[in-house]
Amino acid sequence: MKKGLYILLISMLLISCSKFQKTLKSEDTAAKFEMATELYDAGKYKKSFRLADQILQQYRGKPQAEKLTYIHAMCSYHLGDYYIASYHLDKFTDIYPKSNKAEEAAFLAAKGYYFNSPVYSKEQKETVEAIEKLQLFINAYPNSEYLEEANKLVKELDYKLEKKAFEIAKQYNLIRDYQASIKSFNNFLLEFPGSTLRGDAFYYRFVASYNLAVYSVEYLKEVRIKEANDYYQSLKKSYPNSEYLEDATIKKEFLQQELNTFNTKS
C-alpha cells in the first residue's frame, strides 16, 4: 500500500514537472500567466517567478499586468531576495498606487530593506536606508494594519545605529585615544537622547576622562581631573542607582587623592 502511494506521488510530481517545463518553453503567454498564478498560490515561488519573469514585459499595459507585477515581486520576497523584491515592490506601488495591494507592497518593500540591514559592527548605509523607507511608509499609511510592526522595525534599526556609535566610542577608549572617546560619547548622548545605552555612555565617558587624567602630562593633570569629576557628577546625578556607580566612585576618589597631591606639590 505504501509502495503504491509512493509511486503515485512520484508520478504526479513527474507530470507536474513535465507540465511546468512544457509551459516554460512554450510561446503561450496566457498559459504561462495561469500557471504562474497557480504556482504562486501553491507556494512554489521559484517556478512561479520564472514564468512571471518571462512574460512580465509582454503584459505591460494590459489588465492582467497588475496581478502579474505583484506576483513577480512577491516571489522574490518569499524567496528571500530582498534587494530585488524591494525594487519591484517599490515599482509596483509607483505604477499601481490605488491598488488594494499597494499598502502591503509598500510595507514589504520597506521591510525588505530592513532584512538587508547588516550587523551593527558593519557599515550601516542599508540600516539608514531601511529606517528612511519604513518612516516613509509610516507617514504615508498612518492608520495601516502594519503600523505597529513598522514602528517595531524602526526601533530595532535605531538601536543598531546606537550600538554602533556606542561601540566606536568605547573602542577609542580601548586604544587609549581618550579624547576621541569622550568626544564620541558626547556626540552619542546628543544624537541618541532616548537610548537605552545612555546610562552606559555616561559611565564610559567618565572612564575615558578618568584615564585621560591619570595618564596626563603634569601641566594638564589638574584641569583634566576637574573635567573627569564633572563627568562623574553628571553620572551620579543622572543615574544615582547605576550599577557602575560604585566603580566610578572608587575612581573619582583616586582622582581626588591625585588632585590633593598635586595641590600639595604646588
Side-chain angles (χ1 to χ4, degrees):
M1 182 68 179
K2 287 184 179 180
K3 185 177 180 181
L5 181 61
Y6 178 74
I7 293 171
L8 178 62
L9 290 172
I10 293 296
S11 299
M12 290 174 65
L13 181 62
L14 290 173
I15 292 169
S16 174
C17 289
S18 176
K19 185 180 178 182
F20 169 73
Q21 290 297 332
K22 183 178 178 181
T23 305
L24 188 68
K25 294 174 183 178
S26 77
E27 300 296 325
D28 189 341
T29 55
K32 289 183 179 183
F33 178 88
E34 183 180 353
M35 180 169 278
T37 303
E38 289 175 358
L39 289 170
Y40 177 78
D41 291 339
K44 297 178 180 179
Y45 304 118
K46 187 175 288 188
K47 289 182 176 180
S48 178
F49 178 83
R50 290 183 68 187
L51 290 167
D53 197 52
Q54 277 191 349
I55 60 176
L56 191 62
Q57 294 299 327
Q58 295 165 269
Y59 274 91
R60 294 296 185 201
K62 295 181 180 180
Q64 303 96 323
E66 180 182 330
K67 183 175 183 179
L68 188 63
T69 303
Y70 173 80
I71 287 173
H72 183 258
M74 288 298 293
C75 281
S76 293
Y77 183 85
H78 287 300
L79 289 169
D81 193 349
Y82 298 116
Y83 282 108
I84 297 298
S86 292
Y87 171 78
H88 286 296
L89 287 166
D90 277 336
K91 201 169 182 181
F92 176 86
T93 57
D94 288 341
I95 300 171
Y96 307 105
K98 295 182 180 180
S99 170
N100 61 358
K101 298 289 188 181
E103 182 180 325
E104 178 195 18
F107 172 66
L108 293 180
K111 192 173 181 179
Y113 287 98
Y114 162 84
F115 284 126
N116 287 325
S117 170
V119 295
Y120 78 86
S121 57
K122 293 186 177 181
E123 172 60 44
Q124 294 299 301
K125 178 184 175 183
E126 289 89 350
T127 302
V128 173
E129 192 172 27
I131 292 171
E132 290 173 352
K133 292 291 184 180
L134 284 161
Q135 198 58 59
L136 284 172
F137 171 79
I138 291 167
N139 294 341
Y141 299 95
N143 300 312
S144 173
E145 64 179 290
Y146 305 110
L147 188 64
E148 184 178 349
E149 186 178 357
N151 282 319
K152 181 182 177 183
L153 297 179
V154 169
K155 189 174 181 180
E156 287 182 30
L157 294 168
D158 278 337
Y159 180 77
K160 197 176 288 188
L161 295 181
E162 293 170 18
K163 182 69 172 173
K164 183 174 181 65
F166 178 82
E167 291 298 332
I168 287 173
K170 274 184 69 178
Q171 186 64 30
Y172 279 127
N173 193 34
L174 291 175
I175 63 174
R176 298 188 177 186
D177 191 346
Y178 305 124
Q179 288 179 311
S181 183
I182 293 167
K183 183 178 179 180
S184 295
F185 277 122
N186 283 333
N187 290 337
F188 174 87
L189 292 167
L190 286 172
E191 190 174 352
F192 305 106
S195 174
T196 55
L197 296 170
R198 188 173 174 81
D200 300 72
F202 268 82
Y203 168 70
Y204 285 107
R205 181 179 63 174
F206 165 69
V207 171
S209 65
Y210 166 84
N211 286 328
L212 182 63
V214 169
Y215 298 109
S216 179
V217 293
E218 198 71 14
Y219 76 95
L220 290 174
K221 189 175 285 287
E222 182 178 11
V223 67
R224 287 178 173 174
I225 289 175
K226 289 178 178 178
E227 287 173 356
N229 184 60
D230 288 341
Y231 287 130
Y232 169 81
Q233 295 302 332
S234 294
L235 168 65
K236 186 177 180 181
K237 182 179 178 180
S238 299
Y239 296 93
N241 298 315
S242 170
E243 62 181 298
Y244 303 115
L245 196 58
E246 183 179 353
D247 177 71
T249 301
I250 293 171
K251 286 181 168 61
K252 185 260 183 187
E253 289 173 351
F254 175 79
L255 288 177
Q256 186 60 50
Q257 291 173 10
E258 287 283 291
L259 185 61
N260 291 341
T261 302
F262 182 85
N263 289 334
T264 301
K265 288 179 181 179
S266 301

